[in-house]
Amino acid sequence: MQLDVFTPIPHAFAWQTEQRPVAAVLGTELELRLFGYRDTTPLRAGQIDDEPYGGGAGMVLRVDVVAAALDAVYGGVPAHRVIALTPQGRQLDQPLVEELAREERLTLLSARFEGFDERILEHLATDAVSIGPYVLSGGELPAMVLVDAIARRLPGALTEGSGEHESYSPELDGGLEYPHYTRPAEFRGWTVPEVLLSGDHGRVAEWRREQSRARSAALS
Ligand SMILES: C[S@@+](CC[C@H](N)C(=O)[O-])C[C@H]1O[C@@H](n2cnc3c(N)ncnc32)[C@H](O)[C@@H]1O
């Protein structure tokens, strides 16, 4: 997959490229390209945003700046999906992650301050995605959330089998994963459920199914 991120702060992504799961698939399953709006802005002194028409506080990311960035990389609006990150978008969930992870090419647009000139959403982006019903200061963290969630669905990102039976996976009917425990078997009187120490794989599997069902029911 080719995943392109357009942002006012491309260097914010440096740490993510060094960490799993992104590091594990970079150069093989994932080509991650980072573009700064300031590098291609047609305005002087690296300007990328402007005051809102109609007045009000904050600065708005300009449509001509985003169009110039897309022109420089794709020679126009690309044929693939362009996702604007905004708290007003479709809320991200695992089915949407799976859908996006199947794309061959994807572009993410992030903004800061007051956000996008509406014409970016209307004419340059195909989708608007929110990572949750709260407002962050910029689209870098939302973009990183999306990059991480997508990268871990690509082949080779995770150790064999660790991406199955996860919360929200089809293997658990979209529900929550069962609890995990590791050594020591007792700590401060806090014990591990006996079934997990029993060596009885059938009972363990049944217990895990039960736990997953109970947790998922409590959530809904
Ligand atoms: C301060 S926010 C703008 C909020 C906007 N004025 C509003 O009220 O809807 C600045 C930028 O951060 C990003 N952002 C903030 N919260 C987000 C969220 N929950 N999901 C996705 N992107 C978000 C978006 O790129 C947004 O344009």
Side-chain angles (χ1 to χ4, degrees), residues 63 112 204 207:
V63 63
R112 287 211 135 238
V204 169
W207 181 85

Side-chain angles (χ1 to χ4, degrees), residues 16 19-20 31 41 66 74 78 92 115 127 137 140 174 199 203:
Q16 190 177 34
Q19 312 294 324
R20 274 182 167 266
E31 187 188 355
T41 179
V66 176
Y74 309 113
L92 186 65
D127 300 65
S137 307
E140 292 72 38
R203 277 183 64 214

Side-chain angles (χ1 to χ4, degrees), residues 11 13 18 35 54 72 99 121 172:
H11 62 264
F13 294 76
E18 294 162 7
F35 300 104
E99 180 187 317
L121 300 163
L172 296 176

